[in-house]
Amino acid sequence: MKILEVSGLQKNYKDINAVKGIDFSVNKGEFVALLGPNGAGKSTTINILCTLLKPTAGEVSYEGFEIGKDDENIRKKIGIVFQDNVMDNKLSVRENLLTRGILYHNDRKILKVKVDNIISTLKINDYETQYYGELSGGQRRRVDIARALLHSPEILFLDEPTTGLDPSTRKLIWETMETLQKEGLTIILT
């Protein structure tokens, strides 16, 4: 079943064609990587797909919801892990997740269960009480993934999820993504 369809996607900045008309579709539960050299438009494409940038031309739809028309509904379906960290360095991992989670879950009991499940699934129990600012790069990345999963998205976007990580930490991140995909999450990364 198709969850995402992209047709003729373009993004221009004055005389620069950042995205030059791409077409693809993604099925539910697939693991998709956008590959290309620096400057190829991968991050721009992700930003468009996540409703953060408006395309110059083309169409993007998520199970009938169209970018530019149904952005609020699309945002409910997606989770985003940015290249840069967006968590509060002075809060613990658990505090960060609870603070972000309250945006999606009004019931604190449901939120606590959701955070507990995510912490367990991503195996971040050992450092859930540590300040985010004290974590290693790989630990931060796992917490960033946990944050993106708080509202149970159907698609997870990761922009260069393993950049700057050591080989063993990269392996852990890849294993985490494989586990999430096996659970039915669609993953798109650059």
Side-chain angles (χ1 to χ4, degrees), residues 104-122:
Y104 307 109
H105 303 282
N106 292 332
D107 186 321
R108 292 185 188 272
K109 288 179 185 175
I110 292 172
L111 174 60
K112 183 187 177 316
V113 169
K114 182 73 174 173
V115 169
D116 288 345
N117 289 340
I118 288 173
I119 285 173
S120 177
T121 299
L122 296 181

Side-chain angles (χ1 to χ4, degrees), residues 32-64:
V32 176
L34 302 178
L35 303 174
N38 288 341
K42 300 178 303 290
S43 292
T44 300
T45 299
I46 291 284
N47 285 332
I48 292 169
L49 298 179
C50 293
T51 73
L52 301 173
L53 267 179
K54 293 198 181 300
T56 304
E59 296 178 4
V60 178
S61 66
Y62 291 86
E63 298 177 321

Side-chain angles (χ1 to χ4, degrees), residues 7-177:
S7 177
L9 186 63
Q10 296 179 31
K11 180 62 179 175
N12 301 328
Y13 298 98
K14 295 185 181 181
D15 296 334
I16 298 171
N17 297 332
V19 178
K20 301 176 184 176
I22 58 175
D23 304 288
F24 66 94
S25 63
V26 178
N27 291 318
K28 188 169 181 64
E30 282 189 325
F31 193 112
V32 176
L34 302 178
L35 303 174
N38 288 341
K42 300 178 303 290
S43 292
T44 300
T45 299
I46 291 284
N47 285 332
I48 292 169
L49 298 179
C50 293
T51 73
L52 301 173
L53 267 179
K54 293 198 181 300
T56 304
E59 296 178 4
V60 178
S61 66
Y62 291 86
E63 298 177 321
F65 294 117
E66 294 182 33
I67 286 211
K69 294 179 184 174
D70 305 304
D71 291 355
E72 187 174 325
N73 288 319
I74 290 169
R75 289 183 193 121
K76 291 176 184 175
K77 293 179 163 291
I78 63 174
I80 309 167
V81 179
F82 300 99
Q83 283 182 0
D84 298 320
N85 303 321
V86 296
M87 302 295 258
D88 189 323
N89 287 331
K90 296 184 181 188
L91 293 178
S92 72
V93 168
R94 178 171 282 282
E95 290 167 338
N96 263 298
L97 294 176
L98 289 169
T99 301
R100 301 294 171 134
I102 201 71
L103 298 171
Y104 307 109
H105 303 282
N106 292 332
D107 186 321
R108 292 185 188 272
K109 288 179 185 175
I110 292 172
L111 174 60
K112 183 187 177 316
V113 169
K114 182 73 174 173
V115 169
D116 288 345
N117 289 340
I118 288 173
I119 285 173
S120 177
T121 299
L122 296 181
K123 298 177 176 74
I124 56 180
N125 315 63
D126 292 345
Y127 48 90
E128 70 177 280
T129 59
Q130 282 183 257
Y131 292 120
Y132 181 81
E134 296 174 351
L135 301 178
S136 71
Q139 291 170 329
R140 285 182 189 202
R141 184 56 68 193
R142 288 170 81 113
V143 174
D144 293 343
I145 293 170
R147 178 207 40 86
L149 297 174
L150 284 168
H151 66 293
S152 304
E154 295 176 30
I155 301 176
L156 180 63
F157 289 93
L158 299 109
D159 198 4
E160 300 191 24
T162 60
T163 299
L165 301 179
D166 62 82
S168 63
T169 304
R170 273 192 187 134
K171 184 176 183 237
L172 281 172
I173 298 298
W174 286 115
E175 288 170 356
T176 300
M177 288 187 282

